[in-house]
Amino acid sequence: MPPTVEPQLLVIAGGGLVAGLGLLVRGLGGYRQANMISDTAASRIASIAVGEILVSGVVEAAEVTLVSPLQGVDCVFYRSRIDQADGESMGTAFREERAVGFRIRDASGSLRVFPRGARFEVPLDFDDKTGALGDEPPGLRMRAGSTYAAALDRDAQIAALLTVHAPAGALSSGGDTDGGWQGFAADRLMAGPLSGSRSRHYREARVEIGDVVTIVGQALPFDQLSDPSGADGLESTDPLTDDPEIAADIAAARNAGTLVTDVDDAWGNAAIPGFGIGQPVRPPELDDAATDPPLATAQDATRFERTFEIAPDALVLAASDGVPLVIASGPPAAVAGRAQRLFLVGLLGAVLAIGSAMAMALIVGGS
């Protein structure tokens, strides 16, 4: 046997062992998720009680929505990634995952969901690569503008879902733009590490308005959330309070009794519903030289209150120390089926890992 063959076989066997163990770990995760869904009876939203629950329904926007980076789609969650290959080098040029709070509705009612710390089990909505000549895939419509968008009311959401829109912002085959590459793309991608790259792989998973999802989590009163504003995003930690100096300043202010705890006092005019869009529900406190904005109508004030105000005793869905929050695409049967298939793949991974380990033992023993 040539002296170079044995190390190559060891590398191949080692790669098989690592891949097999990775598949096994994912399979065990699928097994746990399938058990969690099958062991938890689905609840009607109108009849839920405090504790661990499983609900399934249609996603509705709450206060704001997100705009996905790669296809510019309004959603409440996205996981986007761009891998690039340039010659012999390969790497991840862009990766981002975000979520905002939303509502889930079934035939009996709706429930507010706070996604902090959630695990999203969502298949890819977009998975494509650049062509052989570097031309971009036709489905790529890079986000132009802000990451966030104002949520539409229920009637407007229904109308939007029933309207066919032109694919604004799409790239032509020659790479020319009609606005889709402005803002996000130009600043964060095309002028950055992707510039000049001939091969890119785009992947994006989303939870969109109108999607059916199944959620397992903790139902609890809104006033029992430790950090309602922080719970409305995906991150499980607050980057401000993670800073030791800021955390020390907050602790000192709290001990001194100078920390403002009332929301209205802390936020001022920003706590007035409708103030941010120039239609406050009550007169704000402004400088004498400032122009008073028009007050919202009674109908708009009711809509603002329904959108932004949550009663302290209203039940919401969130993660807790004892109950993880899992948000999966599809009804419970479809979610459990995906998890079971993932478990079967994990069993194949276990076979691969065992075979690879035996091969490595034979190679080492033979040498």
Side-chain angles (χ1 to χ4, degrees):
M1 178 183 294
T4 58
V5 174
E6 185 176 294
Q8 291 175 353
L9 291 177
L10 277 174
V11 170
I12 294 173
L17 178 62
V18 172
L21 291 176
L23 291 174
L24 177 59
V25 171
R26 291 189 60 192
L28 292 176
Y31 177 75
R32 287 193 297 270
Q33 180 174 316
N35 280 346
M36 180 173 57
I37 292 173
S38 61
D39 293 343
T40 308
S43 303
R44 297 175 73 251
I45 289 177
S47 59
I48 64 171
V50 174
E52 182 178 2
I53 63 168
L54 182 151
V55 293
S56 183
V58 176
V59 172
E60 293 183 344
E63 298 84 9
V64 297
T65 60
L66 297 169
V67 182
S68 67
L70 303 188
Q71 291 197 298
V73 176
D74 284 351
C75 56
V76 296
F77 165 81
Y78 65 75
R79 182 188 297 120
S80 304
R81 177 170 177 162
I82 303 176
D83 294 322
Q84 70 172 6
D86 189 3
E88 296 182 355
S89 63
M90 298 181 62
T92 299
F94 174 79
R95 180 169 53 197
E96 188 170 83
E97 184 172 356
R98 288 178 182 261
V100 292
F102 61 94
R103 305 191 73 86
I104 179 173
R105 177 178 293 275
D106 65 10
S108 67
S110 69
L111 182 66
R112 182 66 157 77
V113 181
F114 288 85
R116 182 174 64 183
R119 186 173 80 248
F120 283 83
E121 302 290 345
V122 183
L124 291 174
D125 291 283
F126 179 55
D127 186 2
D128 212 339
K129 300 179 180 180
T130 53
L133 300 179
D135 50 312
E136 301 294 352
L140 184 66
R141 296 186 294 273
M142 305 293 280
R143 179 176 65 209
S146 174
T147 304
Y148 298 94
L152 303 174
D153 59 35
R154 180 171 171 79
D155 292 337
Q157 290 179 43
I158 294 173
L161 289 171
L162 297 177
T163 303
V164 178
H165 300 279
L171 287 175
S172 68
S173 59
D176 297 329
T177 69
D178 61 1
W181 288 101
Q182 302 302 315
F184 163 80
D187 294 341
R188 301 190 61 184
L189 292 180
M190 299 308 291
L194 290 180
S195 181
S197 176
R198 300 291 294 178
S199 177
R200 293 185 288 274
H201 188 182
Y202 302 94
R203 282 171 288 190
E204 186 168 88
R206 301 184 297 269
V207 175
E208 301 176 22
I209 310 301
D211 284 352
V212 175
V213 296
T214 297
I215 306 178
V216 178
Q218 176 81 19
L220 72 165
F222 174 66
D223 61 1
Q224 291 188 14
L225 286 176
S226 59
D227 182 12
S229 60
D232 217 24
L234 187 60
E235 296 297 327
S236 58
T237 57
D238 187 339
L240 290 180
T241 55
D242 280 349
D243 187 299
E245 293 186 7
I246 295 178
D249 290 342
I250 293 175
R254 183 179 290 110
N255 293 332
T258 58
L259 185 68
V260 177
T261 57
D262 183 83
V263 174
D264 291 338
D265 291 340
W267 289 92
N269 290 334
I272 302 176
F275 178 80
I277 59 174
Q279 292 181 287
V281 298
R282 62 178 183 271
E285 297 181 6
L286 300 174
D287 187 270
D288 294 336
T291 302
D292 291 329
L295 295 182
T297 64
Q299 181 179 3
D300 286 337
T302 301
R303 179 165 59 89
F304 295 156
E305 182 177 358
R306 186 174 64 249
T307 301
F308 293 97
E309 296 295 329
I310 302 176
D313 60 347
L315 290 182
V316 298
L317 191 55
S320 68
D321 293 337
V323 181
L325 182 63
V326 179
I327 302 173
S329 293
V335 176
R338 285 202 310 269
Q340 290 169 356
R341 289 192 294 273
L342 188 60
F343 176 60
L344 293 177
V345 173
L347 293 180
L348 295 176
V351 173
L352 175 61
I354 293 172
S356 299
M358 293 176 63
M360 292 179 67
L362 290 174
I363 294 170
V364 173
S367 62

